Every structure is written in structure tokens, then in C-alpha cells.
Amino acid sequence: WSIVQESGLPKTKSNKYIRIGLGKVLGMEKGQSESTIEELSVCTPKDVDTNALIDWNVISGLRFFLAFYVMFMHVGSTASLGAFNNLRGFPWHVHCFFTLGGFSLAAPMSPIIEKKFKYFLARISQMYPMYIVAVLFTLANLLVSCRPSTFRPEFHWSSQPDDLYIDGDKEKGISSFFCEGTPVTPNSYWASLCLTIIVHVFGISITPMWVLSWWMGYYFWF
């Protein structure tokens, strides 16, 4: 245990504790001698360097580039982009956003996270409940447009001229909803739905198996 004065702990202007550098103040970092700990136990917030050595401007620039790629993925027709449209088949920007998010959370922490699996479980336990709520709401929205009566036993990577018509027949009129099967199970509605639930409940889309998620289930918009 290390006992310090509350006035010696770094705080923000709103009187909240600053976690960055707190391990050093408490003398919990490796290589600190007892004399160093005694000095730190009586230090004031001004004596503590709370700035992590991270160039956030560079990270912001990378985020801007990724955001631009998001725009590229959704703006412009296939014909207008020509050969550049092939780049839309590589949605790497999404996973870069996930990686940057994790880095931004973990990088400023001190001391260094040694029990990484325990930290991972702690983060999941905080985020997963709200994630499941989002999955349930999105699943309810999916079931409105994609149900057995609107399902077509086929699959296309892009929209088709007859998508707006009931059963693909112009004479039957315009249909408000329709859906096709997934690439893996194009002929089965229930298989496509079950695989979609598995993909999102277990978060396969944010794991190294993310490529499979594009083939196994429907894409959820949160």
C-alpha cells in the first residue's frame, strides 16, 4: 500500500482525479525507489507531468482520412467511379476506426496494463449490455423489412432494376420492403437470419474473422 495526501493527487479544474501519471504519484511504477516514493507522496498537482507522449494531431489526421474513405464508400455511383469502385470491396477503414478507438482508450493509462485479458473483460462487461440493446433494436427494424413474405431466394452484391417491385414483377406494383439471402445461404431466409444474429451477438465483425461476417449475415446499421 502507498499512502499519500489527497492534495498531492493530480486533479482537473473540476476537481476530478487525473488518471494519467497517477501510478507514478502512488509509487506503483516499476523502478521507483522508496526515496522517490516519499518525494512523490508530498508533491502537488503542478509537480506531476500528466501529458502522455502521444501526438493526437497525427491520430486526428488519420481519422480525417478514414472519414474521407467512408464518404468515398457511400457517395457516387458505380459507373461514375469506374475502376476505383473496386476499392469499395475493402472496408478496412471500419476496423481502423475500432483500432484507433481502443488505442485512444488504453494509451494514456498509467501504469501499463499488464493483465490485458482482465482489462479486456472489464471493458466488454461495460459496453456489452448497451451493445445488445442496440442489436435488439436493429434486429426489430430488420424484421420489418426482411421477413418470409418479402424474402427473395437469391443474392446480388449490388442493387437490381427490379428491386422495387413485388416479387421482381413490375406488373404487381411497387413493394415497400424486400430482402435477399446472404452469400452463404442465399436460398434460406431462416439460415440467413440465424447467421446474422450469431455474427452480431458474438461481435464477429470486429474480430479477425470479420471477412466472414460479410458473407454470413446482413449488415446492421447502428
Side-chain angles (χ1 to χ4, degrees), residues 67-78:
F68 181 81
Y69 197 86
V70 172
M71 182 179 69
F72 164 74
M73 292 286 288
H74 297 284
V75 177
S77 63
T78 301

Side-chain angles (χ1 to χ4, degrees), residues 31-90:
Q32 286 184 282
S33 62
E34 293 184 2
S35 60
T36 305
I37 295 174
E38 290 178 1
E39 290 180 12
L40 292 171
S41 64
V42 295
C43 67
T44 62
K46 293 182 179 180
D47 298 323
V48 181
D49 183 13
T50 59
N51 296 320
L53 300 178
I54 301 172
D55 194 336
W56 294 107
N57 291 328
V58 173
I59 294 179
S60 297
L62 179 56
R63 283 198 178 103
F64 173 80
F65 176 76
L66 294 174
F68 181 81
Y69 197 86
V70 172
M71 182 179 69
F72 164 74
M73 292 286 288
H74 297 284
V75 177
S77 63
T78 301
S80 64
L81 292 174
F84 285 101
N85 184 67
N86 295 325
L87 294 174
R88 289 180 169 178
F90 302 93

Side-chain angles (χ1 to χ4, degrees), residues 101-156:
F103 176 80
S104 299
L105 285 171
M109 293 186 176
S110 180
I112 297 174
I113 301 171
E114 295 183 353
K115 298 180 179 179
K116 295 179 175 58
F117 184 71
K118 186 176 181 180
Y119 170 77
F120 174 77
L121 291 180
R123 296 300 305 170
I124 289 294
S125 64
Q126 292 181 11
M127 296 184 294
Y128 197 74
M130 287 305 299
Y131 171 75
I132 285 297
V133 171
V135 168
L136 292 176
F137 274 104
T138 312
L139 180 62
N141 180 68
L142 174 68
L143 294 176
V144 171
S145 59
C146 188
R147 50 186 186 271
S149 60
T150 61
F151 179 77
R152 296 183 187 177
E154 55 187 2
F155 173 79
H156 299 94

Side-chain angles (χ1 to χ4, degrees), residues 182-186 188-202 204 212-213 215-218:
T182 60
V184 174
T185 57
S188 175
Y189 169 79
W190 293 107
S192 297
L193 181 61
C194 289
L195 286 176
T196 298
I197 294 174
I198 291 173
V199 164
H200 293 284
V201 167
F202 292 98
I204 295 177
L212 295 178
S213 68
W215 293 79
M216 293 171 58
Y218 297 114

